[in-house]
Amino acid sequence: MSNEIRVLYNARCPVCRAEINHYAAHTRARNLPIRFDDLNSADLAHWGISADQAARRLHVLKDGQIYSGINGFLVLWQGMPRWRALATLVALPGGRAVATAVYDRALAPALYRRHLARTARARGASAARR
């Protein structure tokens, strides 16, 4: 199996894009086998999820398995030397529980709501131009 890691993220989300751009620069500088796919242009059938599911949280594909949320971040961070220590800390039982609660209950839902608002504004602007 390939040791490539693929990350599915929302490039239209400014927060997501900034974080992924940081990771992408790190991976390029070290020639790491990590690929970043924008959910807005990726073949989501390959991922087996809908655009709405993809927009709700980070998804990572490694060795044919999809990881999402904090588990996805752990796979991504394990693949980047600079981030392995964070992955080790977050993977600890208490760390994982706290990180999952914060991500699942606060961060991911807030970013998803902002995504929906951006999408609605874009649709409204598009309709107004017609």
Side-chain angles (χ1 to χ4, degrees):
M1 285 196 178
S2 167
N3 63 348
E4 181 182 63
I5 296 170
R6 291 182 60 186
V7 179
L8 184 63
Y9 75 102
N10 186 355
R12 292 183 186 157
C13 167
V15 174
C16 306
R17 185 176 56 245
E19 183 168 7
I20 294 301
N21 284 347
H22 177 76
Y23 296 148
H26 178 77
T27 61
R28 276 192 307 274
R30 288 153 186 82
N31 198 32
L32 300 174
I34 301 174
R35 180 173 144 191
F36 300 92
D37 298 334
D38 174 11
L39 70 88
N40 301 290
S41 59
D43 177 11
L44 295 180
H46 173 77
W47 286 86
I49 59 176
S50 70
D52 187 66
Q53 289 171 315
R56 289 178 182 268
R57 60 194 307 120
L58 179 84
H59 291 81
V60 175
L61 176 66
K62 182 171 184 198
D63 296 332
Q65 180 160 349
I66 295 178
Y67 303 85
S68 67
I70 291 301
N71 291 331
F73 279 104
L74 290 174
V75 170
L76 173 60
W77 294 338
Q78 280 293 332
M80 299 186 302
R82 179 186 294 172
W83 295 92
R84 284 189 186 131
L86 178 61
T88 300
L89 282 173
V90 173
L92 294 172
R96 185 186 300 258
V98 170
T100 298
V102 170
Y103 184 79
D104 287 347
R105 294 188 183 138
L107 297 177
L111 292 172
Y112 179 67
R113 283 190 302 274
R114 291 177 69 190
H115 165 74
L116 293 176
R118 273 191 310 277
T119 302
R121 281 192 307 273
R123 283 189 191 128
S126 177
R129 283 182 251 155
R130 289 184 209 164

